[in-house]
Amino acid sequence: MRIKTKLVFLTAFCIGLYTISLLLIMVYLINTRFFMAEKDLAEKDMDRVVNAFQVQTENLRVIVTDYAFWDETWNYAMNRNPDYIQANLDDAACKNLKISLFAIYNQEGTQIGMKYYNAMGESASFSYLPEKITDSEILQTLIVQKSALVRFGEDIMILSSSSILPTANNGPVAGLMLMGKIVNDEIIQSICKQTRVDTKIVPEKRGDVVLVNGKYPHIQTGLFQDLGDSTMTGYISFVLKNDEPILLLQTKTPLELRAQGISLINLIISLFVVYAIVIILFMNFLFQYMISRPLSLLEKTLSHLTLNANFQLSGITSLFVREDELGNIARAIKEMKTRILIAHDEVQKNNERLSLLVESRTAILAQTNAKLEIFKKIMETTSEAVIITDLNGNIIEMNDATNLMTGYSREELLYKNPRIFKSFRHNTAYYKELWDSLYSDGFWQGEIWDRKKDGTIYPKWQTINVIKDSTGKPLNYVGVSSDISVLKESEEKLLHLAYYDPLTSLPNRTLFSDRLENKIALATRNDKLFGLLFIDLDRFKNVNDTLGHMMGDLLLIQVTQKISECIRSSDTLSRIGGDEFTLILDDIAEDENAGFVATQILHMLEQRFEIHGNDVYIGASIGIALFPKDGRDPETILRKADAAMYLAKEDGRGRARYASDDLEKETQRRHEIEAKMHTALERNEFRLFYQPQNYSAQAKAGLPIGLSGVETLIRWQHKPDEIIMPDDFLPVAEETGFIVSLGTWVLNEACRDAKRWFDMGKPLQVSVNVDTRQLNAKNFVETVFAALESSGLPPNLLKLEITESGFVKHIDQVIDIMKRIQAVGVSFAIDDFGTGFCSLQYLNRLPVDCLKIDQSFVRSMGESSSGGDIVSAVISMAHAFGLCSVAEGVETEAQLEQLCARGCDTIQGYLVSRPMPYDAFVQYLYQQ
Ligand code: C2E
Ligand code: CA
Ligand code: CA
């Protein structure tokens, strides 16, 4: 319903309500106040009727009195005027006087004249008045009361009496005269006329007689409103003393006020209706003009309002100037439109931005989903048990690995607390630390012993993380754990490995350090001595290289057994490196005791070892340091033992040396040398020394005779007065690969020197030591050829010395290289023959010319018969293969003699000459 219609209805309703209320008030007033007034009027009407009735009575009394005081009447009563009635009270006179009855009684009270006219006015007989006054109670009362209202049969009559007296009042009372008037319609009509009150007799009510004294004391009145007749009816009842009514008059008073009131109301209603219609129309018009039309304009504008910038508000421009609410609304719409357009623009931009954002978010979400899928797969497939709990610690998710690890099914674990895994191996403090760490760092990891469903207790490595949302609020705990029982077992094994050498089961370097430290502490406390032996195997490298590592390992085991045979159980033997052993000799009484043990060990290790049918000879060098003499801390004492061992090696191996201060200096010097070796070649610090080789048969101690060749031995002239021996720097050169360039230098230098001797007319075969690495280097053949070419030395004057280890690997390749070199005339010798392993088969295939018997065999020749046997065997083997034999390290005449006896071709050693520098050697050449 439109507002306009609503408003019209509202107005109509208000006016209607107002009118009805007004009407109700008026009706109420009419029915109360008007009614009272009408009642008063009706009562007054009744009073007037009563008064008029009284006047009728009075009139009758006046007439009767008038007649009674007339002399004629007195005379008639006195019986002196018999024509009186005829003359004065005939029918005409009675009619004029409007009386219905008259009677005259004489002095004796006897009726002397009477006349009665009935209601029709006809003269009739009348039996109600007796002959004698004394016979009538009514007459007697009337004499006293003068007037009365009586009923005689059908007639209700007003009676009035008077004593008959002469006019001059000069005679006695002659009798009584009475007159009566029937209360008929005529009388009532005259009363009506007189009072203007519509009155009539109610005929049903009648009584016998009632005396009226004065103002009719026995009159009862009553009012009845007859709404239908719009009149008020009053009843005037003339009653006897006993309330018996004799005459009832009815008065009718029209309700004029009421009638007028009703017509007034009708008028008001009509006026109001008209007035209401006018107001409604006017209001409608005003509303239409002032509100409804602008409102519908606004409505139309708003309903057509679009987000198009071109949309015009022309419909409501007229409203913009208005200074009322509608004007405000119109202006607000205008403002709103502007703002909406701006907002719309903004929204559109945001929309675009949002779509881009949604796109990128969707992509990210897709990626995240893919990642989540991967994480899910990882969680499903990982071997680690993953458990996710809520913040109360109740399990809400887990993977299969968890069920596998704990033995509980998924249903048994869901919504349970992980404390069901508790093994009661940890105290509350342990768990408190766990929770403290979780609360403070959001993370905990460590080892926990848990219990499986079957009761087994097992160790696991547990990681617990607190998962937080973007605001940092904790959401879940995630526990990842793995069963580490296997790990634990291997840890123990590892622990053993960490401290023990797996091969020999001897303590390793770590445990040795511990033991040494303990030993020092103990010895310090108890003021005891102890010795530390540093044992290094000689030629172990050769065994490894020639027989392979497995054989080397077996050898080490045998070595361990042999050393163990020499020591007491309280001594500690450790293996601290490949072929390095240490021995803590507990509680030695004298310094020499350590030396005795060392000698014993050396002796043991010089013995033949048999490994898988192979006879192997090694040996060892031992350095001895003593506590507290050589040092009071582990580092010093170990360093001194180590240095002493080196010294022992330098002394020619197979020896033991006590530590000394010189020794330490020596070691330090060695370290320096190592550092400086690399620049030494550029600085031209290397020198070649030459040691002659002589035919055994001709060789003489210290004499330059029977020269068969010369061996080139490298020296390092580190400082003008300091020469470093090859054993001190070659191991490093080998390790770093520097040996290859150094070897090339040696080769060139040796060839050049040999060429000089050749040019001097002293042609001599020069032997050059070639390291395994050189031989295996790519262009070794070219290097040899280049050296020959650049020096111009005839190739047959060059001999290359290689060790057995040089051709253990890649034998075919090495044979090929050797053959190519040999092809130009260069010859080969196997150096240190017998210390490594050279199969006879190889010897057959190798293009060598010479076998060089190692010094140790030469030395052992004099010590035992077996040593000599070996030398003999080598010599005969050489001869068997058509090779020459060279014995190294010949120091004594006895050795020379023996070698000669055993058929050795050539010798080399200090007995004839130590290695010499170039110049010395040239002199030596010329001494021949
Ligand atoms: P090697 O080839 O066995 O050389 C013989 C070693 O025995 C030389 O030691 C020599 O001085 C020493 N010697 C000779 N006669 C006797 C003797 O009667 N008694 C004793 N006790 N020793 C004697 P040096 O010069 O110290 O060389 C040691 C090793 O260094 C050589 O053993 C060789 O393997 C290596 N070497 C030396 N120069 C070179 C070189 O230019 N190139 C390569 N690759 N190695 C070299
Ligand atoms: Ca050699
Ligand atoms: Ca040698």
Side-chain angles (χ1 to χ4, degrees), residues 68 122 183 250 301 349 621 663 668 680 698 706 755 850 879 901:
E122 295 158 352
V183 181
Q250 187 190 54
T301 309
K349 278 178 204 159
S621 304
L663 181 68
Q668 257 183 356
Q698 299 166 14
K755 176 69 169 47
C850 251
H879 290 166

Side-chain angles (χ1 to χ4, degrees), residues 216-254:
Y216 297 98
H218 301 301
I219 295 171
Q220 292 176 352
T221 54
L223 276 176
F224 302 93
Q225 188 187 2
D226 186 353
L227 284 171
D229 284 354
S230 65
T231 52
M232 190 163 283
T233 311
Y235 289 97
I236 305 163
S237 174
F238 295 85
V239 294
L240 294 175
K241 272 187 187 152
N242 59 2
D243 286 346
E244 190 196 338
I246 55 166
L247 173 66
L248 190 62
L249 294 183
Q250 187 190 54
T251 57
K252 293 260 181 193
T253 308

